Amino acid sequence: MPIVVVVGGQWGDEGKGRIVDLLARKAKVVARYSAGNNAGHTIVNERGEFKLNLVPAGIFYPEKTCVIGNGVAVDPGVLLGEIEGLQAKGIDTSKLVLSDRAQLVMPWHIALDKLDEASRGATAIGTTGKGIGPCFVDKVARRGIRVADLLRPEDLIPRMKNSLDYANRVITGVYGGEPIDFDSCYQAYHDYGLRLSPYIADVQGVVFDAHRRGEYVLLEGAQGSLLDLDHGTYPFVTSSVPSSSSGGAAIGVGIGPTDIQRVVGVFKSYCTRVGNGPFPTELFDDVAATLRDHGKEFGRGEYGTTTGRPRRIGWLDAVAARYSVRFNGLSALALTRLDVLDNMPTIKICTGYELDGKIISSFPSRESTLERIKPIYEELPGWMTPTTEVRTFDDLPPQARAFIKRVEELLECPVDLISVGPSREQAVIVNPIF
């Protein structure tokens, strides 16, 4: 049976959690493979609305094994709070598994994240301040502390002392901040280890064994591919190691790339971005306000799940999206929030860029180039009728079908699934993913 990867194709917030929640019905294992609690997924089902930052979106199916992979940066306090919040609402978390190889977010990571961002001033990246970047810096510098270390004080104490000594020298010497106390940190993380120990296991074995038994496995990406450390709009990208693109999926759970059969990219029917960085199709007019606040009265507007920050809004950028399709090796698209366009008389798609008087169709690597380009738009007629109750492609308005077909042509990839609302059943399945 296939291992399927779900990734965000834009700058995040595409609705990956909603798609994973839908696809998880057929999966036996749902695994999160990258990022940390700087990314968030919103799930709406028969039990209500849930906001997840670390727990995989398959948690609402009690028979599924939900895996937090070695590629995730884990803040144990946040994870325990999320587990307890789910349990309080009657959600079974007994089949949640946390990789013993995952890196831990420590208090000094959060302090360093905030201090560094403040020091950048006008050139700030726009991080969430959750400590994820400094956590991955320590991972690469081999100062990191892993989940496995929580289980043995004789491992945890020297690793914490070494990492904290270095961090305090930076906090005080570079930023002029207050040093962090070792004893209080150790006591907190020793307690976290005791509370998390029932969940900690060898994740690679869980995923590999399920695949060998012929069970469906779903790998859940976080953030968006255009924030990828290598392929995104550098330096305004995520720090996740492994990457936030599909290439990091195998690394993030400990399997080989040949085990993956399909990669599904999730794209909004328009574009959004949170934080700083280039955004070629960004809008600053009433259209942006209309798209941002659609469904706001129901808590569904374009505001960050993790930060609550208003998202920047723009038309669908087919140049950036096609670039994402190619480096992710996408086999199918899931197009979300089609219903947000229901009342738009005209819909635009960026089909090319104008740069210094020349037309280009590729996505530039330089930030300075991206800041200079002008989007070239193709206008399509809107459908001006609700789509939230539609469940088959043929029942969509003709203009909506034409828009989807044009997206397929421009992105060179088929649209297999269309979301027309926040709830699990508000979906049009054109071709089954599993």
Side-chain angles (χ1 to χ4, degrees):
M1 294 296 179
I3 294 180
V4 174
V5 180
V6 175
V7 297
Q10 296 158 311
W11 282 285
D13 305 307
E14 302 94 347
K16 296 178 294 297
R18 181 254 188 279
I19 299 301
V20 171
D21 175 64
L22 177 66
L23 297 180
R25 291 180 298 183
K26 291 188 176 181
K28 182 64 175 179
V29 174
V30 181
R32 168 88 176 267
Y33 67 82
S34 67
N37 62 302
N38 56 336
H41 290 161
T42 300
I43 308 296
V44 180
N45 57 34
E46 66 279 359
R47 297 184 182 225
E49 181 177 283
F50 298 85
K51 296 183 183 298
L52 303 177
N53 293 103
L54 288 168
V55 175
I59 195 69
F60 303 103
Y61 299 91
E63 73 279 9
K64 314 297 182 186
T65 299
C66 287
V67 167
I68 300 173
N70 55 274
V72 180
V74 177
D75 184 322
V78 171
L79 177 57
L80 284 164
E82 202 164 304
I83 290 170
E84 290 164 0
L86 289 166
Q87 291 173 341
K89 293 187 177 182
I91 307 301
D92 181 10
T93 62
S94 63
K95 300 194 76 172
L96 178 67
V97 183
L98 171 62
S99 173
D100 52 4
R101 290 177 168 83
Q103 295 281 321
L104 290 170
V105 176
M106 308 300 291
W108 52 89
H109 294 145
I110 298 170
L112 285 166
D113 198 355
K114 293 177 179 178
L115 288 166
D116 182 69
E117 190 75 348
S119 74
R120 292 174 182 262
T123 61
I125 301 297
T127 76
T128 61
K130 304 295 184 182
I132 308 305
C135 177
F136 282 119
V137 168
D138 274 2
K139 176 181 181 178
V140 174
R142 291 157 291 185
R143 285 188 301 268
I145 299 171
R146 302 198 298 177
V147 169
D149 297 324
L150 292 176
L151 303 179
R152 295 186 79 242
E154 54 267 48
D155 291 334
L156 182 61
I157 291 172
R159 291 184 187 280
M160 280 190 68
K161 284 183 175 178
N162 176 65
S163 187
L164 181 55
D165 284 349
Y166 179 87
N168 274 338
R169 289 198 298 272
V170 177
I171 289 170
T172 59
V174 176
Y175 298 110
E178 292 295 320
I180 292 173
D181 175 65
F182 172 82
D183 290 336
S184 59
C185 283
Y186 171 72
Q187 190 55 53
Y189 277 71
H190 176 69
D191 178 63
Y192 291 151
L194 295 175
R195 295 164 63 190
L196 285 172
S197 59
Y199 300 100
I200 299 171
D202 172 18
V203 156
Q204 190 268 350
V206 172
V207 175
F208 182 78
D209 290 346
H211 181 46
R212 186 166 54 184
R213 290 192 299 267
E215 296 168 342
Y216 288 116
V217 176
L218 188 61
L219 304 186
E220 171 187 340
Q223 301 178 304
S225 295
L226 295 178
L227 296 175
D228 185 83
L229 187 59
D230 285 292
H231 301 290
T233 50
Y234 193 89
F236 298 96
V237 294
T238 183
S239 52
S240 296
V241 182
S243 66
S244 55
S245 60
S246 65
I251 298 170
V253 294
I255 60 172
T258 56
D259 292 324
I260 296 170
Q261 279 74 41
R262 299 197 73 191
V263 183
V264 179
V266 184
F267 293 80
K268 275 181 183 167
S269 301
Y270 48 99
C271 273
T272 63
R273 181 168 191 164
V274 171
N276 298 328
F279 188 1
T281 65
E282 185 169 11
L283 299 171
F284 301 94
D285 55 13
D286 291 342
V287 172
T290 299
L291 293 174
R292 181 181 294 112
D293 291 336
H294 180 89
K296 184 179 178 182
E297 65 273 24
F298 306 111
R300 197 188 169 217
E302 291 291 359
Y303 297 85
T305 299
T306 300
T307 64
R309 289 181 291 184
R311 295 170 183 146
R312 299 157 65 190
I313 306 291
W315 291 115
L316 179 65
D317 186 338
V319 179
R322 185 168 58 247
Y323 168 67
S324 177
V325 168
R326 290 173 178 175
F327 74 75
N328 276 301
L330 297 186
S331 51
L333 309 177
L335 195 64
T336 63
R337 295 210 168 201
L338 185 74
D339 58 299
V340 176
L341 302 180
D342 283 352
N343 295 318
M344 290 289 164
T346 301
I347 297 165
K348 294 182 180 181
I349 303 176
C350 172
T351 58
Y353 298 148
E354 180 184 337
L355 176 65
D356 301 331
K358 297 180 180 180
I359 305 302
I360 62 173
S361 58
S362 60
F363 192 70
S365 61
R366 292 189 185 90
E367 173 200 351
S368 58
T369 303
L370 282 164
E371 295 288 3
R372 299 201 324 271
I373 61 176
K374 297 179 181 179
I376 298 171
Y377 288 114
E378 179 178 313
E379 293 192 10
L380 288 81
W383 41 96
M384 301 297 289
T385 187
T387 59
T388 54
E389 300 301 320
V390 176
R391 298 295 178 267
T392 67
F393 183 79
D394 289 341
D395 286 338
L396 287 167
Q399 298 90 338
R401 297 199 302 270
F403 169 76
I404 294 163
K405 289 296 184 184
R406 186 61 177 140
V407 169
E408 288 183 323
E409 292 170 359
L410 290 167
L411 272 60
E412 302 170 351
C413 192
V415 174
D416 282 359
L417 195 155
I418 304 156
S419 168
V420 291
S423 299
R424 184 181 289 165
E425 70 277 4
Q426 289 181 293
V428 175
I429 299 175
V430 183
N431 293 298
I433 302 296
F434 278 121

